[in-house]
Amino acid sequence: MRGFFLLSLVLCGVILTAQDRAIGVRVVDVYEGTGVGLSFKQKIKAIMSFEATLGTDGFEQSQGFFKADFNFIQRPIPVDGLDWYLGAGVQSWFSSKFFELGPEATLGLSFDFASLPLNLFLDGTYYAPLINENNKSQEWQIGLGARLFFE
């Protein structure tokens, strides 16, 4: 318990010293349909990032989802403003009829415009539900979206 508390303090300190925050929209393509959510990203010292999204299954709005990723590698590509990232996290889908939760791994591309406070991204996520009341199998998801930076 003491170790968890110390790790939490260190992570909070790292996140709070970062300068780049962005909020926007994420669209997640899954085999059962499309999810749309509000996305928040916090860059950490320009080499890592944390991302969280809360949303619904789009048009039907019969289920919700939450996903959080720590992108422990975020590195530039020789195109100004373009980065690739690799991370791990957790994802959950839920409704009044079921709940599922499991780990995920993400690989993606992120582009920051030099003259606008805008970020575009495209990523692939492998999601494997461990708590699974919906009998969903492991799946690949494609995510894309746009975020606006703010201070």
Side-chain angles (χ1 to χ4, degrees):
M1 184 67 171
R2 187 180 316 163
F4 176 75
F5 179 72
L6 289 173
L7 179 62
S8 298
L9 284 177
V10 169
L11 287 176
C12 286
V14 169
I15 290 172
L16 291 175
T17 60
Q19 299 174 8
D20 294 320
R21 295 176 184 91
I23 193 164
V25 175
R26 168 183 280 277
V27 177
V28 180
D29 176 35
V30 295
Y31 74 93
E32 293 178 351
T34 303
V36 179
L38 182 64
S39 175
F40 172 79
K41 183 173 185 174
Q42 172 74 58
K43 285 189 177 181
I44 304 169
K45 303 210 182 248
I47 59 169
M48 296 180 281
S49 63
F50 171 77
E51 179 182 343
T53 304
L54 180 64
T56 69
D57 63 349
F59 301 111
E60 294 179 26
Q61 297 183 353
S62 61
Q63 58 184 329
F65 74 91
F66 174 76
K67 65 185 264 102
D69 292 307
F70 179 67
N71 298 315
F72 47 85
I73 297 175
Q74 182 157 347
R75 301 291 188 270
I77 293 176
V79 173
D80 196 29
L82 188 62
D83 289 350
W84 70 274
Y85 56 92
L86 175 67
V90 65
Q91 189 173 140
S92 176
W93 288 80
F94 48 86
S95 75
S96 61
K97 299 177 183 172
F98 74 92
F99 175 80
E100 62 182 52
L101 175 71
E104 65 178 24
T106 301
L107 175 64
L109 293 171
S110 177
F111 183 77
D112 298 341
F113 288 87
S115 59
L116 297 171
L118 181 64
N119 166 259
L120 301 177
F121 62 93
L122 172 68
D123 56 33
T125 299
Y126 182 71
Y127 169 53
L130 299 178
I131 299 172
N132 190 356
E133 297 175 355
N134 201 25
N135 296 321
K136 185 184 284 186
S137 61
Q138 301 166 354
E139 66 183 14
W140 283 98
Q141 302 169 343
I142 302 297
L144 60 94
R147 299 186 194 99
L148 292 174
F149 286 107
F150 65 94
E151 294 280 334

